[in-house]
Amino acid sequence: MRIVSDLDWEKKLMDPIGERTLKPRKTGITMVIDKGMGLLAFEDFLNTASEYIDIIKLGFGTSPLYPKDVLEKKIGLAKKHQITITPGGTFMEVAVSQNCVNSYFKMIKSLGFNGVEVSDGTIDLSRQFRDDLIKYGTEEGFMVVTEHGKKRKGTKINFNELTHTVHSDIEKGASLVTIEGRESGVEVGIFDENGKCSTDDIVQIMNSVTDPDKILWEAPLKSQQILFINSLGPRANLGNISPEEVFALESIRRGLRSDTFHLAHK
């Protein structure tokens, strides 16, 4: 179903490229990283931009730092707007390292989270343990998003390992597999010290997996978002988007910025 406007804009004015779809989306997913937004700002943000957001991640291990009532309200607001909300993957890694995974799952379920991220950016997980976490998360009713790549500065993606991880994670029930880019987008994963990456690397990764629509690219920088959409089109799944950049990214997706204007006029 194509996007429509309740302001009754001419379709070609609202979406010149003509490929944006309504939620729930399977492609063109936007994942926002929330690093501690206040409740009133969060509510205003969703009232303004929720149609363009599919997933909100409470970054890193920030979830236990909120007052309980504030956290529950944020979760409730996200779900009201058809958004999957998940704790950061680092928090799951804390649970693994502290040997309290069962307690972690019990708590996030009781709070109302409807998504969970399984990652090993800071710790090492065996393939079997990773499989068990994905399986348990799906059985408990969470949307499971996994992540591939280390957070250490200068760490590069191994394409063979990535391909194996994507295939295995999806087979075990993961909805999306995120390619690590951190919140900085610099000198990690496929990005160099200037936040740049090769179009050839993107194409190689997309061609190496059987379901490329399951890949979500962490792309916090505008230049990265433009590169992915110019390379893959508006269907590119992008993550670690800051709240203040949601409208800018949506404009890029639709050809409402000069950076992707040409996609509507091929």
Side-chain angles (χ1 to χ4, degrees), residues 91-152:
F91 194 27
M92 164 75 83
E93 295 179 43
V94 171
V96 171
S97 66
Q98 296 296 321
N99 196 30
C100 53
V101 170
N102 289 339
S103 175
Y104 170 83
F105 273 107
K106 181 178 179 180
M107 189 64 179
I108 65 172
K109 188 169 185 177
S110 70
L111 288 167
F113 282 104
N114 56 358
V116 67
E117 186 176 59
V118 175
S119 69
D120 56 1
T122 305
I123 65 174
D124 291 320
L125 283 178
S126 69
R127 183 67 247 181
Q128 184 60 58
F129 200 175
R130 187 179 178 97
D131 289 347
D132 291 343
L133 291 171
I134 296 169
K135 185 179 181 211
Y136 188 70
T138 56
E139 288 176 347
E140 289 296 305
F142 295 102
M143 175 186 180
V144 177
V145 179
T146 63
E147 186 173 69
H148 178 79
K150 296 297 183 182
K151 297 184 183 296
R152 291 189 299 273

Side-chain angles (χ1 to χ4, degrees), residues 13-81:
L13 290 175
M14 188 173 186
D15 183 15
I17 295 176
E19 296 183 16
R20 203 66 173 121
T21 56
L22 294 169
K23 296 196 301 185
R25 283 180 280 267
K26 293 186 177 180
T27 61
I29 289 169
T30 294
M31 182 270 277
V32 169
I33 183 169
D34 175 359
K35 296 188 281 188
M37 193 184 301
L39 184 59
L40 294 179
F42 188 77
E43 183 173 16
D44 184 52
F45 170 56
L46 294 187
N47 286 337
T48 305
S50 64
E51 180 56 40
Y52 316 126
I53 304 164
D54 304 279
I55 303 171
I56 293 176
K57 176 172 67 177
L58 302 186
F60 338 117
T62 56
S63 298
L65 304 181
Y66 288 94
K68 184 181 179 183
D69 64 322
V70 172
L71 182 57
E72 289 177 328
K73 287 176 182 175
K74 291 187 78 168
I75 293 169
L77 283 167
K79 291 162 69 176
K80 176 184 174 182
H81 287 278

Side-chain angles (χ1 to χ4, degrees), residues 29-33 55 57 178-179 181-183 191 215-221 224-225 228 236-242 249 253:
I29 289 169
T30 294
M31 182 270 277
V32 169
I33 183 169
I55 303 171
K57 176 172 67 177
T178 305
I179 310 301
R182 303 207 70 178
E183 75 279 7
F191 301 123
I215 291 181
L216 186 149
W217 309 86
E218 289 189 340
L221 303 181
Q224 296 164 353
Q225 297 158 20
F228 282 115
N237 302 318
L238 302 178
N240 275 9
I241 308 302
S242 63
L249 172 57
R253 287 193 186 279

Side-chain angles (χ1 to χ4, degrees), residues 134-190:
I134 296 169
K135 185 179 181 211
Y136 188 70
T138 56
E139 288 176 347
E140 289 296 305
F142 295 102
M143 175 186 180
V144 177
V145 179
T146 63
E147 186 173 69
H148 178 79
K150 296 297 183 182
K151 297 184 183 296
R152 291 189 299 273
K153 189 175 182 180
T155 304
K156 299 298 182 182
I157 293 289
N158 179 295
F159 292 112
N160 290 332
E161 290 179 1
L162 170 62
T163 301
H164 177 69
T165 298
V166 172
H167 289 162
S168 298
D169 287 0
I170 292 173
E171 181 183 6
K172 296 301 178 182
S175 297
L176 291 167
V177 181
T178 305
I179 310 301
E180 177 68 68
R182 303 207 70 178
E183 75 279 7
S184 66
V186 174
E187 206 168 356
V188 66
I190 62 173

